[in-house]
PDB file of all heavy atoms in Angstrom:
ATOM      1  N   GLY Q 218      -3.734  11.393   8.448  1.00 98.00           N
ATOM      2  CA  GLY Q 218      -3.414  10.318   9.267  1.00 98.00           C
ATOM      3  C   GLY Q 218      -4.024   8.999   8.848  1.00 98.00           C
ATOM      4  O   GLY Q 218      -4.841   8.992   7.963  1.00 98.00           O
ATOM      5  N   ILE Q 219      -3.768   8.003   9.634  1.00 98.00           N
ATOM      6  CA  ILE Q 219      -4.312   6.672   9.363  1.00 98.00           C
ATOM      7  C   ILE Q 219      -4.620   6.119  10.713  1.00 98.00           C
ATOM      8  O   ILE Q 219      -3.816   6.092  11.661  1.00 98.00           O
ATOM      9  CB  ILE Q 219      -3.260   5.670   8.689  1.00 98.00           C
ATOM     10  CG1 ILE Q 219      -2.824   6.291   7.312  1.00 98.00           C
ATOM     11  CG2 ILE Q 219      -3.790   4.298   8.467  1.00 98.00           C
ATOM     12  CD1 ILE Q 219      -1.398   5.933   6.983  1.00 98.00           C
ATOM     13  N   ALA Q 220      -5.926   5.563  10.850  1.00 98.00           N
ATOM     14  CA  ALA Q 220      -6.344   4.995  12.215  1.00 98.00           C
ATOM     15  C   ALA Q 220      -6.529   3.648  12.031  1.00 98.00           C
ATOM     16  O   ALA Q 220      -7.225   3.176  10.952  1.00 98.00           O
ATOM     17  CB  ALA Q 220      -7.520   5.887  12.685  1.00 98.00           C
ATOM     18  N   VAL Q 221      -6.129   2.773  12.968  1.00 98.00           N
ATOM     19  CA  VAL Q 221      -6.330   1.320  12.957  1.00 98.00           C
ATOM     20  C   VAL Q 221      -7.113   0.876  14.145  1.00 98.00           C
ATOM     21  O   VAL Q 221      -6.628   1.085  15.276  1.00 98.00           O
ATOM     22  CB  VAL Q 221      -5.004   0.545  12.672  1.00 98.00           C
ATOM     23  CG1 VAL Q 221      -5.255  -0.993  12.683  1.00 98.00           C
ATOM     24  CG2 VAL Q 221      -4.228   1.018  11.588  1.00 98.00           C
ATOM     25  N   PRO Q 222      -8.311   0.245  13.934  1.00 98.00           N
ATOM     26  CA  PRO Q 222      -9.099  -0.129  15.191  1.00 98.00           C
ATOM     27  C   PRO Q 222      -8.191  -1.207  15.947  1.00 98.00           C
ATOM     28  O   PRO Q 222      -7.619  -2.161  15.248  1.00 98.00           O
ATOM     29  CB  PRO Q 222     -10.357  -0.883  14.613  1.00 98.00           C
ATOM     30  CG  PRO Q 222     -10.427  -0.442  13.129  1.00 98.00           C
ATOM     31  CD  PRO Q 222      -9.024  -0.107  12.756  1.00 98.00           C
ATOM     32  N   LYS Q 223      -8.210  -1.209  17.121  1.00 98.00           N
ATOM     33  CA  LYS Q 223      -7.408  -2.161  17.921  1.00 98.00           C
ATOM     34  C   LYS Q 223      -8.048  -3.422  17.889  1.00 98.00           C
ATOM     35  O   LYS Q 223      -9.396  -3.563  17.967  1.00 98.00           O
ATOM     36  CB  LYS Q 223      -7.164  -1.651  19.385  1.00 98.00           C
ATOM     37  CG  LYS Q 223      -6.114  -0.586  19.462  1.00 98.00           C
ATOM     38  CD  LYS Q 223      -5.683  -0.394  20.800  1.00 98.00           C
ATOM     39  CE  LYS Q 223      -4.523   0.482  20.906  1.00 98.00           C
ATOM     40  NZ  LYS Q 223      -4.164   1.045  22.336  1.00 98.00           N
ATOM     41  N   THR Q 224      -7.345  -4.527  17.913  1.00 97.00           N
ATOM     42  CA  THR Q 224      -7.886  -5.913  17.808  1.00 97.00           C
ATOM     43  C   THR Q 224      -7.125  -6.876  18.554  1.00 97.00           C
ATOM     44  O   THR Q 224      -5.744  -6.771  18.436  1.00 97.00           O
ATOM     45  CB  THR Q 224      -8.181  -6.503  16.384  1.00 97.00           C
ATOM     46  OG1 THR Q 224      -8.365  -7.808  16.432  1.00 97.00           O
ATOM     47  CG2 THR Q 224      -7.000  -6.198  15.425  1.00 97.00           C
ATOM     48  N   ALA Q 225      -7.705  -7.845  19.220  1.00 94.00           N
ATOM     49  CA  ALA Q 225      -6.942  -8.818  20.032  1.00 94.00           C
ATOM     50  C   ALA Q 225      -6.140  -9.835  18.992  1.00 94.00           C
ATOM     51  O   ALA Q 225      -5.177 -10.403  19.343  1.00 94.00           O
ATOM     52  CB  ALA Q 225      -7.866  -9.719  20.807  1.00 94.00           C
ATOM     53  N   ALA Q 226      -6.484  -9.809  17.740  1.00 97.00           N
ATOM     54  CA  ALA Q 226      -5.830 -10.625  16.760  1.00 97.00           C
ATOM     55  C   ALA Q 226      -4.564 -10.067  16.322  1.00 97.00           C
ATOM     56  O   ALA Q 226      -3.731 -10.623  15.711  1.00 97.00           O
ATOM     57  CB  ALA Q 226      -6.713 -10.699  15.407  1.00 97.00           C
ATOM     58  N   GLY Q 227      -4.259  -8.739  16.742  1.00 98.00           N
ATOM     59  CA  GLY Q 227      -2.984  -8.051  16.389  1.00 98.00           C
ATOM     60  C   GLY Q 227      -1.679  -8.859  16.698  1.00 98.00           C
ATOM     61  O   GLY Q 227      -0.838  -9.014  15.913  1.00 98.00           O
ATOM     62  N   ARG Q 228      -1.660  -9.438  17.923  1.00 98.00           N
ATOM     63  CA  ARG Q 228      -0.487 -10.157  18.375  1.00 98.00           C
ATOM     64  C   ARG Q 228      -0.088 -11.393  17.575  1.00 98.00           C
ATOM     65  O   ARG Q 228       1.054 -11.677  17.319  1.00 98.00           O
ATOM     66  CB  ARG Q 228      -0.507 -10.426  19.926  1.00 98.00           C
ATOM     67  CG  ARG Q 228      -0.331  -9.236  20.749  1.00 98.00           C
ATOM     68  CD  ARG Q 228       0.222  -9.523  22.029  1.00 98.00           C
ATOM     69  NE  ARG Q 228       0.507  -8.375  22.885  1.00 98.00           N
ATOM     70  CZ  ARG Q 228       0.974  -8.339  24.124  1.00 98.00           C
ATOM     71  NH1 ARG Q 228       1.266  -9.437  24.701  1.00 98.00           N
ATOM     72  NH2 ARG Q 228       1.121  -7.153  24.729  1.00 98.00           N
ATOM     73  N   ARG Q 229      -1.210 -12.039  17.173  1.00 98.00           N
ATOM     74  CA  ARG Q 229      -0.956 -13.227  16.344  1.00 98.00           C
ATOM     75  C   ARG Q 229      -1.103 -12.878  14.909  1.00 98.00           C
ATOM     76  O   ARG Q 229      -2.070 -13.241  14.208  1.00 98.00           O
ATOM     77  CB  ARG Q 229      -1.973 -14.360  16.667  1.00 98.00           C
ATOM     78  CG  ARG Q 229      -1.858 -15.170  17.923  1.00 98.00           C
ATOM     79  CD  ARG Q 229      -2.257 -16.565  17.683  1.00 98.00           C
ATOM     80  NE  ARG Q 229      -1.856 -17.412  18.787  1.00 98.00           N
ATOM     81  CZ  ARG Q 229      -2.564 -17.774  19.835  1.00 98.00           C
ATOM     82  NH1 ARG Q 229      -3.699 -17.416  19.879  1.00 98.00           N
ATOM     83  NH2 ARG Q 229      -1.964 -18.482  20.800  1.00 98.00           N
TER      84      ARG Q 229
END
Side-chain angles (χ1 to χ4, degrees):
I219 300 150
V221 181
K223 285 193 172 170
T224 164
R228 284 207 178 182
R229 277 212 172 103

